[in-house]
Amino acid sequence: MSNYYIWTIGCQMNVADSQRLGSALEQLGYDRVATAEDADIVILNSCVVRQGAEDKVVARLDSLKGLKGATNDVTIALTGCMVGPQVEHLKDRFSHVDFFIRPQEITALVEFAADRQGLACDVDQMLLVASRPQVSTFIPVIQGCDEFCTYCIVPYRRGRESSRPLNEIVGETEELVDRGVVEVTLLGQIVDKYGHDLPGDFDLADLLSAVNDVQGIERIRFLTSHPRDMSDRILRAVADLPKVVEHLNVPFQSGDDGVLERMRRPYAITEYFDLIERARTYVPGVALATDVIVGFCGETEEEFQRTVGVLERVRFDTVHIAAYSTRSGTIADRKIADDVPPGVKLERKNIVESLQERIATEVNMPLLGNRVEVLVERKVRGRWEGRTRTNKLVHFEDPGEADRVGSLMEVDIARTSPWSLTGTLPGYGYTESEPTEAITLVPVGGP
Ligand code: SAM
Ligand code: SF4
């Protein structure tokens, strides 16, 4: 019996890449195990988008040194965005690692794993779909990024943009449905550029339409969108296609045009406001998520306040906030001074976090008493957990015994917070003695 262990940190693309690698290994007879100590092949799928993530990867890599005992019979592989075209410095620093695999270049590792089992394989011919996927699963549809925002390491690590053929994605969706998947999230660093590099004249709207036609799929998400590439055609597809949910993730990064220029983000903030207005016109009630970087090179207090102003004006449902950290080799690293003091970066991050907590509280509060549709993903500490079409996390209790994973359920919202909603099944009341205590369900009309 051969085993593999995989540890993943970072974005949804890394999660999807790990699932694909795991699928290949399982087809070669490997079983997934929960600890590195029990594995024959240990894989770390890394993220270095920010310093904090890189620190965690380094700590995890260091913790694996002890695995290489006297027999040295465990194979350790590092993949993800820590691995670029040059790996000599990584080899020097982490001499206990056997393979350094660039994202999307898994062939060498899979061939090694096959050889270890006495098998031959052609990775290009393998269907890289998890045998037991989550009911909500990611599908990468466009790899890489040609954008080169000055702060970002991703284009150096994930290479040029490359869209997967539409029929391949549709086929993968059908296969996932056969394995119990109900919702797919189509992934790309700039997902709204899908198709521009393929022969023929089609785009993300066409892909959404094709996936919408797959029998058995109930919901379709996509991320991350670039403000410049979010066309009216795509917005119309979101509005018109019943399975495409009302949720968009469109990072604006900074509210100041000067900072956007230094970041090499090709839009002015007024154009971003226009986009938000179009999105809300095409898709009434659309939920909006965004990414923001505070403390980018040279960001003055006035420039930071313009970011605060955008958050106040748009009132996003979710904001992913990052304090800028220099990434070695990026344009900003080479050409612009990282001169905002760490304390100021942290203070600005805290300000944005507190502001967003207040805004998300206000945005979620009107949902109190509403009935929402929840796709149930898992049970956590006795409560079912799932998401609405607008990507709100919902917890609820069900006195019945049925397994609800994969079901679309109606839930009445009884409590809201900035981060999640809590509800009950229709026909059940909701009581709680203390706000933080466990919830007790009582059938309406008495216990
Ligand atoms: N492609 C997406 C886009 O255009 O915004 C996002 C992908 S990027 C990997 C995810 C997020 O990480 C970015 O939106 C940005 O906010 C953040 N990020 C990237 N580089 C960063 C850096 N050097 N410091 C802090 N945050 C960074
Ligand atoms: Fe990074 Fe910019 Fe590409 Fe997003 S669009 S991955 S932030 S370079």
Side-chain angles (χ1 to χ4, degrees):
M1 179 73 75
S2 295
N3 295 325
Y4 76 98
Y5 167 82
I6 190 158
W7 178 85
T8 309
I9 185 171
C11 65
Q12 294 89 345
M13 195 62 94
N14 269 14
V15 174
D17 289 347
S18 288
Q19 279 165 356
R20 300 174 86 73
L21 195 48
S23 163
L25 295 179
E26 284 167 27
Q27 290 176 52
L28 295 169
Y30 288 81
D31 276 341
R32 185 168 179 168
V33 289
T35 56
E37 288 70 20
D38 295 325
D40 303 292
I41 299 180
V42 173
I43 302 155
L44 295 197
N45 193 351
S46 62
C47 170
V48 291
V49 164
R50 289 188 283 275
Q51 189 61 46
E54 182 168 351
D55 292 345
K56 286 183 192 147
V57 177
V58 170
R60 197 74 184 92
L61 274 169
D62 286 341
S63 77
L64 296 179
K65 279 185 181 148
L67 284 184
K68 289 276 190 186
T71 53
N72 203 20
D73 53 2
V74 60
T75 299
I76 301 178
L78 177 68
T79 185
C81 287
M82 193 175 220
V83 187
Q86 312 298 332
V87 294
E88 291 313 314
H89 65 292
L90 290 173
K91 282 183 178 165
D92 290 344
R93 192 170 171 196
F94 307 108
S95 56
H96 57 302
V97 173
D98 303 284
F99 284 94
F100 295 91
I101 310 282
R102 293 192 73 186
Q104 284 97 52
E105 290 181 5
I106 60 173
T107 307
L109 180 60
V110 176
E111 283 176 357
F112 164 82
D115 195 45
R116 221 186 137 270
Q117 301 285 76
L119 299 168
C121 78
D122 179 353
V123 183
D124 292 337
Q125 298 302 316
M126 292 172 102
L127 179 65
L128 299 181
V129 175
S131 51
R132 291 176 306 282
Q134 310 274 317
V135 292
S136 175
T137 287
F138 300 124
I139 303 183
V141 301
I142 174 168
Q143 310 279 7
C145 181
D146 293 350
E147 202 58 32
F148 291 91
C149 300
T150 56
Y151 52 80
C152 186
I153 193 73
V154 170
Y156 303 88
R157 300 300 160 87
R158 289 192 169 267
R160 305 304 302 261
E161 285 164 12
S162 163
S163 300
R164 294 175 65 196
L166 186 141
N167 57 1
E168 191 179 300
I169 297 162
V170 170
E172 187 168 319
T173 309
E174 288 166 348
E175 189 60 44
L176 287 167
V177 168
D178 287 347
R179 299 177 192 205
V181 170
V182 180
E183 173 181 285
V184 287
T185 303
L186 310 180
L187 293 180
Q189 297 299 339
I190 305 184
V191 71
D192 38 1
K193 270 176 101 177
Y194 173 78
H196 77 108
D197 55 326
L198 292 174
D201 186 20
F202 59 91
D203 63 6
L204 180 66
D206 298 299
L207 177 63
L208 291 170
S209 175
V211 176
N212 190 77
D213 287 342
V214 174
Q215 291 289 319
I217 211 71
E218 298 290 348
R219 287 183 179 178
I220 304 162
R221 302 184 183 280
F222 60 94
L223 54 89
T224 303
S225 302
H226 193 292
R228 178 201 52 211
D229 300 302
M230 178 59 80
S231 63
D232 281 3
R233 209 174 120 71
I234 296 173
L235 289 173
R236 218 174 296 124
V238 178
D240 292 346
L241 296 169
K243 297 177 184 174
V244 179
V245 299
E246 301 75 29
H247 178 248
L248 300 175
N249 191 341
V250 199
F252 74 93
Q253 309 296 4
S254 168
D256 180 82
D257 288 345
V259 175
L260 287 173
E261 212 176 310
R262 297 204 287 284
M263 289 178 162
R264 223 163 161 262
R265 300 284 292 184
Y267 48 86
I269 204 64
T270 49
E271 294 172 283
Y272 188 84
F273 289 141
D274 286 349
L275 167 62
I276 296 301
E277 206 174 303
R278 279 190 291 127
R280 286 180 165 156
T281 304
Y282 276 108
V283 191
V286 66
L288 295 169
T290 198
D291 295 7
V292 165
I293 298 177
V294 296
F296 184 64
C297 310
E299 185 188 67
T300 62
E301 181 57 28
E302 210 182 348
E303 289 169 341
F304 167 66
Q305 286 305 330
R306 294 209 175 93
T307 295
V308 171
V310 175
L311 296 170
E312 295 269 23
R313 174 168 167 169
V314 177
R315 294 170 64 79
F316 294 93
D317 293 74
T318 310
V319 180
H320 309 114
I321 306 149
Y324 172 64
S325 53
T326 312
R327 304 289 69 208
S328 176
T330 56
I331 300 169
D333 173 49
R334 286 180 274 126
K335 300 198 169 159
I336 325 178
D338 176 17
D339 54 1
V340 177
V344 175
K345 287 180 184 171
L346 186 62
E347 192 187 331
R348 290 179 184 171
K349 186 165 178 261
N350 290 341
I351 290 170
V352 172
E353 276 171 357
S354 308
L355 169 64
Q356 184 53 27
E357 182 170 347
R358 173 177 60 75
I359 291 172
T361 304
E362 293 165 5
V363 167
N364 286 346
M365 198 118 51
L367 293 170
L368 196 67
N370 282 16
R371 182 163 294 177
V372 296
E373 182 200 74
V374 176
L375 170 61
V376 183
E377 295 181 30
R378 59 185 70 84
K379 197 171 199 179
V380 183
R381 289 189 293 278
R383 290 193 302 171
W384 295 106
E385 182 180 290
R387 288 185 183 268
T388 63
R389 286 175 64 96
T390 52
N391 210 35
K392 305 278 177 195
L393 185 65
V394 180
H395 297 108
F396 68 96
E397 281 190 359
D398 176 4
E401 295 294 309
D403 183 357
R404 299 300 194 179
V405 172
S407 307
L408 286 165
M409 308 214 32
E410 302 271 277
V411 176
D412 290 342
I413 298 307
R415 197 172 76 189
T416 67
S417 84
W419 327 120
S420 65
L421 312 173
T422 308
T424 64
L425 293 180
Y428 285 85
Y430 172 90
T431 60
E432 58 180 343
S433 45
E434 294 281 334
T436 52
E437 276 187 8
I439 298 151
T440 318
L441 283 173
V442 199
V444 171

